Amino acid sequence: MQNLGLSKLKMERGALYETIVTTVNEDGSGNAAPIGVLCRNEKEITLYLYEGTHTLNNILREGKFAVNILDDPCIFALSTFTDLKLNYFKKYKGYVVLKDADAFFTNVVYKTRKINKKDSLGKSTLYLVNAKVKEIIMKNCIKPLNRATYAIIESLIYSSRFKIADKKTRERYIERIKEMKKLVKKVGTKKDKEVMKYIMQQVTRF
Amino acid sequence: MQNLGLSKLKMERGALYETIVTTVNEDGSGNAAPIGVLCRNEKEITLYLYEGTHTLNNILREGKFAVNILDDPCIFALSTFTDLKLNYFKKYKGYVVLKDADAFFTNVVYKTRKINKKDSLGKSTLYLVNAKVKEIIMKNCIKPLNRATYAIIESLIYSSRFKIADKKTRERYIERIKEMKKLVKKVGTKKDKEVMKYIMQQVTRF
């Protein structure tokens, strides 16, 4: 068993982490976007990218990208709404990465697949991008952001208010906890899913 | 300026962190409960505790408690619904702490104040417990859990779906983002609040 991969970054198989993906634009400059990264195993990841985005176009053209691990909410917000300025990036062996990342890893695409998705927001075209991890660089020690941790904390906060809540409020809390369970199913680790199941058992006893 | 206190644990003034507070029961055994800890400055914290809880009773009697920093969702869940078993605790200089904490700090109470709170759940009696940090022990490096980080990530995820959402869905997203803003106002750092303000500006432009 090879264990020198993504577990170094505390990324677990099957969980989805909130990261910033950086790619090289056609003019050689850097592009950054907040993207969920699914950890498939120690050395492989999958991205789900919407058609028409800079990130997807750059990845399809270059066949490579970097994943940056950080938890600075400011950089997540700026890269959601704007193009990050030049001084946020640095070059690294043919990749661009974020200067302020706590860790990053470079990736080489080995398979892409176009899929049509239909959900509450309507139809959209997505690309599944499968990639192999090439090199991992850690600067500071950090845990990559996973929404499941938060979903569990929120569920526990609702649970702890159960005793003092009236029937209507409890029903609202149960609804929220169910939403959180769905989220954990999508992004959490195996352990997170077990914890969420335990929470549901506890709150439905009331 | 004294900077050898809570900033070592990446705790910032004015922000509220999700921790496990451990106290000594009357029989000398350990008690653990998930509690939000407000960082007041490098060496002082405040807890808000409901009347009638073991944690409050122990703190009022002993005048001391420990704050454990960890992000294991399992321990948060177990300590919400049950009494943690003996083997989760260890003794430390007259305190009890969690064996598996990534860091912990011991505290001495210097002021308590009883307040009456009225919110959507009805009336309740709370105790404000002000304490001075005595000693900080770090084992692993970790960032203490702060719900604001995740509230910002959730808001950004809603924001990124704005372009493809219909009017009704957008309104629902705005409502959720407003809830997240309220949460960040309550638990976030100064920077988190600025980021949330920026997000609100961006989404209300649509």
Side-chain angles (χ1 to χ4, degrees):
Chain A
M1 201 180 82
Q2 202 178 13
N3 63 359
L4 294 162
L6 295 174
S7 58
K8 274 205 289 188
L9 298 173
K10 297 179 192 156
M11 290 173 83
E12 287 183 42
R13 187 188 183 131
L16 187 99
Y17 298 91
E18 304 307 317
T19 75
I20 308 268
V21 167
T22 43
T23 51
V24 181
N25 290 321
E26 219 162 348
D27 66 1
S29 64
N31 179 265
I35 308 273
V37 169
L38 177 69
C39 172
R40 297 184 70 88
N41 57 48
E42 284 291 339
K43 292 284 191 183
E44 290 180 327
I45 59 168
T46 297
L47 312 182
Y48 297 83
L49 299 170
Y50 282 99
E51 208 175 20
T53 58
H54 286 306
T55 300
L56 178 64
N57 293 342
N58 289 345
I59 286 179
L60 292 178
R61 191 184 58 252
E62 304 282 331
K64 64 183 184 181
F65 61 91
V67 173
N68 300 267
I69 308 295
L70 63 158
D71 68 352
D72 181 345
C74 197
I75 295 184
F76 275 91
L78 285 173
S79 62
T80 298
F81 298 113
T82 66
D83 292 330
L84 286 189
K85 284 182 190 146
L86 208 64
N87 59 329
Y88 279 91
F89 299 96
K90 66 174 185 183
K91 296 197 172 175
Y92 181 81
K93 297 183 183 177
Y95 291 81
V96 286
V97 299
L98 292 181
K99 262 185 205 160
D100 291 335
D102 292 305
F104 66 82
F105 55 95
T106 56
N107 304 275
V108 178
V109 177
Y110 70 87
K111 200 169 98 186
T112 56
R113 191 157 64 93
K114 199 172 167 174
I115 54 166
N116 294 309
K117 191 184 152 197
K118 205 182 150 186
D119 62 15
S120 59
L121 297 177
K123 285 180 193 168
S124 50
T125 305
L126 274 176
Y127 274 78
L128 256 76
V129 174
N130 289 310
K132 281 194 200 297
V133 177
K134 198 172 158 188
E135 190 184 0
I136 298 174
I137 305 291
M138 277 180 76
K139 290 190 284 183
N140 308 315
C141 109
I142 200 170
K143 242 192 128 166
L145 288 177
N146 186 303
R147 293 163 74 203
T149 309
Y150 159 78
I152 291 170
I153 295 288
E154 295 306 303
S155 302
L156 291 173
I157 287 168
Y158 288 126
S159 309
S160 67
R161 291 179 190 155
F162 249 65
K163 279 183 203 163
I164 51 169
D166 57 32
K167 196 167 167 257
K168 210 178 144 191
T169 310
R170 278 186 192 180
E171 278 165 13
R172 194 159 52 85
Y173 287 172
I174 289 271
E175 275 316 300
R176 284 297 175 94
I177 295 172
K178 279 185 185 161
E179 280 177 34
M180 296 295 159
K181 197 183 171 204
K182 258 165 86 175
L183 177 57
V184 170
K185 202 177 161 193
K186 197 175 140 198
V187 305
T189 63
K190 203 178 153 203
K191 191 176 171 185
D192 293 332
K193 286 167 201 168
E194 282 164 15
V195 171
M196 209 58 224
K197 201 174 146 190
Y198 169 73
I199 294 172
M200 278 308 287
Q201 281 166 356
Q202 295 296 320
V203 295
T204 48
R205 285 193 334 184
F206 274 90
Chain B
M1 202 180 79
Q2 204 177 8
N3 63 359
L4 294 162
L6 295 173
S7 59
K8 276 206 286 188
L9 298 173
K10 296 180 193 156
M11 289 176 82
E12 287 183 42
R13 185 188 184 134
L16 187 100
Y17 298 92
E18 304 307 317
T19 74
I20 308 269
V21 166
T22 44
T23 51
V24 181
N25 290 322
E26 219 161 349
D27 66 0
S29 64
N31 177 266
I35 308 273
V37 169
L38 177 69
C39 172
R40 298 183 69 88
N41 56 49
E42 285 291 339
K43 291 284 190 183
E44 290 179 329
I45 59 169
T46 298
L47 311 183
Y48 297 83
L49 298 171
Y50 283 100
E51 209 174 20
T53 57
H54 286 305
T55 301
L56 178 64
N57 294 343
N58 290 345
I59 286 179
L60 292 178
R61 190 185 60 253
E62 304 282 332
K64 64 184 183 181
F65 61 91
V67 174
N68 300 266
I69 308 294
L70 63 158
D71 67 353
D72 181 344
C74 197
I75 295 185
F76 275 91
L78 284 173
S79 61
T80 298
F81 299 112
T82 68
D83 291 331
L84 286 189
K85 283 183 191 145
L86 208 66
N87 60 331
Y88 280 91
F89 298 97
K90 65 173 186 185
K91 295 197 172 175
Y92 181 82
K93 297 183 183 177
Y95 290 82
V96 284
V97 299
L98 292 181
K99 262 184 204 160
D100 290 336
D102 294 304
F104 65 82
F105 55 94
T106 57
N107 305 275
V108 178
V109 177
Y110 70 87
K111 200 170 97 186
T112 57
R113 191 156 65 90
K114 199 173 169 174
I115 54 166
N116 293 310
K117 192 184 151 198
K118 205 182 149 185
D119 62 14
S120 58
L121 297 178
K123 283 179 194 171
S124 48
T125 304
L126 274 176
Y127 274 78
L128 255 77
V129 175
N130 289 309
K132 281 194 200 300
V133 177
K134 198 171 157 190
E135 191 184 2
I136 299 174
I137 305 290
M138 276 179 75
K139 291 189 283 181
N140 306 316
C141 110
I142 200 170
K143 243 193 126 166
L145 287 178
N146 186 302
R147 294 163 73 203
T149 308
Y150 293 99
I152 291 170
I153 296 288
E154 295 306 303
S155 302
L156 291 173
I157 287 167
Y158 288 126
S159 308
S160 66
R161 291 178 191 157
F162 250 66
K163 280 184 201 163
I164 51 169
D166 58 30
K167 195 165 167 261
K168 208 177 146 192
T169 310
R170 279 187 192 179
E171 278 165 12
R172 196 160 51 86
Y173 288 173
I174 289 273
E175 275 318 301
R176 284 296 176 95
I177 295 173
K178 278 184 188 162
E179 279 176 33
M180 296 296 158
K181 196 183 171 203
K182 256 165 86 176
L183 175 57
V184 170
K185 202 177 159 191
K186 197 175 139 199
V187 305
T189 63
K190 204 178 152 202
K191 191 177 170 186
D192 293 332
K193 288 168 200 167
E194 282 165 16
V195 171
M196 209 57 224
K197 201 173 146 189
Y198 169 73
I199 293 172
M200 278 307 288
Q201 282 167 356
Q202 295 296 319
V203 294
T204 48
R205 283 193 335 183
F206 274 89

